[in-house]
Amino acid sequence: MIRILILSGLLLSSVAACAPYEPEPVSAWQWQQRQERIERQEAERLRRCEAMDQQSERYARECPRTGASPS
């Protein structure tokens, strides 16, 4: 019984860790929509970084400098 619980827990945790599947765009319109979505997300991230305390751990984690390699 305990083995079943452990195995089901491992299965659920491994499934939860997977990123959702996003198929590659197939048309020019889909590529454009994808690119615009990425640009909007990046602009929003930059706006959040501007509002954060630059000495905080969150800033260091979420707002790496351009060209810096992630650690």
Side-chain angles (χ1 to χ4, degrees):
M1 182 65 171
I2 292 177
R3 275 192 239 170
I4 293 172
L5 291 174
I6 292 172
L7 290 175
S8 63
L10 290 173
L11 177 64
L12 290 175
S13 65
S14 66
V15 170
C18 296
Y21 173 72
E22 183 178 333
E24 287 291 319
V26 292
S27 70
W29 180 81
Q30 289 174 331
W31 278 104
Q32 183 65 32
Q33 293 296 312
R34 178 180 181 265
Q35 187 62 32
E36 290 172 359
R37 178 176 41 85
I38 291 169
E39 289 172 358
R40 283 192 307 272
Q41 290 171 341
E42 180 63 15
E44 177 62 28
R45 186 187 70 80
L46 291 174
R47 279 192 294 277
R48 282 193 317 264
C49 289
E50 289 175 359
M52 275 188 228
D53 176 19
Q54 294 184 0
Q55 303 301 318
S56 69
E57 289 180 25
R58 182 178 177 194
Y59 182 85
R61 181 179 62 244
E62 295 180 12
C63 304
R65 291 178 299 212
T66 305
S69 62
S71 33

